[in-house]
Amino acid sequence: MEKDKVKIHGILSNTHRQAARVNLSFDFPFYGHFLREITVATGGFIYTGEVVHRMLTATQYIAPLMANFDPSVSRNSTVRYFDNGTALVVQWDHVHLQDNYNLGSFTFQATLLNDGRIVFGYKEIPVSVTQISSANHPVKVGLSDAFVVVHRIQQIPNVRRRTIYEYHRVELQMSKITNLSAVEMIPLPTCLQFNSCGPCVTAQIGFNCSWCNKLQRCSSGFDRHRQDWVDSGCPEESKDKVCEKNVDTTEKPPHTTTSLQPTTTRFRVLTTTKGATTFHLPTSLPTEDDTKIALHLKDNGASTDDSAAEKKGGTLHAGLIVGILILVLIVAAAILVTVYMYHHPTSAASLFFIERRPSRWPAMKFRRGSGHPAYAEVEPVGEKEGFIVSEQC
């Protein structure tokens, strides 16, 4: 390409573990979802999710070679990209591994085409990818996508917990990534491509497609619209598999011009960690590379599904918790003061309460004695309330 048409990202080319947004001039279909913005990372991958978090390497990525690359260690290292209106090319040029500079420089790229195809091109791979250490950074080659589910937190009003669930992953064989090699991935048909009920429920594409009249959408229930699908009651509605005659099926979504390619043998050589028709939510404990990420984000009152009664109930619930905590603190403080006064009878606090407690005992007067220096002799001074304590006590 001509140099004036290729953009070199100045920040990504001089930093480590950084990512930057890049706008597309076309709609790129990724797992049936049309993207207009991606996030390019220095670590040899593209993040396709909308929610940016601290674990971009976990899921929702397009990774020609995800590793611990650091473009800042060499002046020759750059991250550059080019968009011609039908394809976006992102190239990691002469980048080095941050924890093993002596292995040499890597040059590779990822091309996203407007028909959904993805091409990984490898120009310079000095060592086998299987030899790259994943101790400080995950090493992956392939694709991944996930959906986000928003949960309410009853104890904290106006706060939502967003959990990301990976529903599909494609992993390429790292041993086949060599110099001057390329991998082309062609998208398979998805339920989202159907815009009417009839073709949706009769589709034979390897997915259990269902039609939701409320959303006017065809889905398997496992895509980025999972939240809307569940909130709208589509799982119950889709059990009937019956199309309503009064539903207008001629309406087209805004993206109908892109044709998805049929299944080809080039895609079958890829190995996937999850089946295309069987989906299970992750149940393992979170790890550095787990696909379930919990994020606590404050919506600042932007949520529209909370009623006034729910907000009032949340406020009362929070007030009750605060009241209980204050009561527990008061009781704990009283117990600590009592224990302290019991073990320190001559302290200021103990004497304060002794002087104010009524007593029928005869008052005592202290005077210096000739006995043990730690004690003093006392003698009665008559029937009076309280005690008279001298400075010698």
Side-chain angles (χ1 to χ4, degrees), residues 30-41:
F30 185 64
Y31 281 93
H33 304 278
F34 291 89
L35 306 181
R36 270 284 182 154
E37 188 179 57
I38 60 172
T39 302
V40 179

Side-chain angles (χ1 to χ4, degrees), residues 354-364 381-389:
I354 290 175
E355 291 177 355
R356 281 156 180 77
R357 186 180 65 177
S359 174
R360 299 182 60 86
W361 296 350
M364 301 291 179
V381 296
E383 292 288 337
K384 294 184 179 180
E385 294 293 331
F387 293 92
I388 300 175
V389 183

Side-chain angles (χ1 to χ4, degrees), residues 51-324:
V51 180
V52 179
H53 46 80
R54 292 177 298 176
M55 295 179 64
L56 300 184
T57 61
T59 184
Q60 293 185 306
Y61 57 76
I62 299 174
L65 181 52
M66 180 191 297
N68 192 21
F69 293 112
D70 184 1
S72 65
V73 299
S74 174
R75 293 184 178 180
N76 296 326
S77 301
T78 57
V79 178
R80 55 185 67 190
Y81 60 95
F82 170 76
D83 187 342
N84 66 356
T86 60
L88 172 74
V89 181
V90 180
Q91 179 166 311
W92 291 263
D93 194 74
H94 294 95
V95 293
H96 293 260
L97 292 171
Q98 197 269 343
D99 45 7
N100 202 338
Y101 180 88
N102 295 328
L103 287 181
S105 64
F106 294 72
T107 300
F108 56 93
Q109 61 183 210
T111 304
L112 315 181
L113 293 96
N114 62 351
D115 59 0
R117 287 181 296 139
I118 301 175
V119 180
F120 293 162
Y122 304 93
K123 180 180 179 181
E124 185 181 6
I125 306 295
V127 296
S128 174
V129 178
T130 57
Q131 299 179 9
I132 300 177
S133 173
S134 60
N136 299 320
H137 193 287
V139 178
K140 300 178 182 179
V141 179
L143 312 174
S144 172
D145 199 25
F147 57 82
V148 180
V149 176
V150 180
H151 304 278
R152 298 180 184 176
I153 301 179
Q154 298 292 340
Q155 295 79 3
I156 308 177
N158 299 327
V159 175
R160 302 291 181 267
R161 182 183 66 189
R162 297 186 179 183
T163 307
I164 302 178
Y165 294 95
E166 181 184 62
Y167 65 86
H168 193 264
R169 179 187 296 182
V170 176
E171 293 181 336
L172 301 180
Q173 287 185 332
M174 296 185 182
S175 60
K176 293 186 177 182
I177 306 304
T178 58
N179 290 333
L180 302 178
S181 64
V183 177
E184 181 181 17
M185 286 165 282
I186 299 178
L188 295 172
T190 65
C191 299
L192 296 174
Q193 75 185 65
F194 301 106
N195 47 53
S196 61
C197 180
C200 173
V201 297
T202 59
Q204 302 293 328
I205 60 173
F207 293 95
N208 185 21
C209 298
S210 302
W211 180 259
C212 182
N213 289 317
K214 185 175 182 179
L215 296 177
Q216 289 293 293
R217 180 183 299 155
C218 183
S219 174
S220 63
F222 290 90
D223 52 49
R224 295 193 179 189
H225 302 304
R226 170 74 178 180
Q227 183 81 51
D228 294 338
W229 186 263
V230 175
D231 293 345
S232 301
C234 296
E236 296 297 326
E237 177 186 339
S238 60
K239 290 181 179 179
D240 298 335
K241 290 280 187 177
V242 177
C243 298
E244 296 182 2
K245 295 182 180 180
N246 59 351
V247 176
D248 184 11
T249 59
T250 60
E251 183 180 358
K252 301 292 183 178
H255 307 287
T256 57
T257 57
T258 302
S259 60
L260 297 178
Q261 300 295 330
T263 307
T264 63
T265 55
R266 282 178 289 181
F267 191 85
R268 294 180 182 274
V269 300
L270 309 180
T271 59
T272 62
T273 58
K274 290 182 174 61
T277 59
T278 304
F279 302 92
H280 301 283
L281 297 183
T283 57
S284 60
L285 296 176
T287 61
E288 180 184 0
D289 189 29
D290 206 332
T291 58
K292 179 179 178 182
I293 310 165
L295 300 177
H296 298 273
L297 302 177
K298 187 173 183 180
D299 291 344
N300 294 326
S303 178
T304 60
D305 58 350
D306 286 340
S307 62
E310 290 175 335
K311 293 182 179 180
K312 182 178 179 181
T315 304
L316 293 177
H317 188 66
L320 180 61
I321 294 177
V322 173
I324 294 175

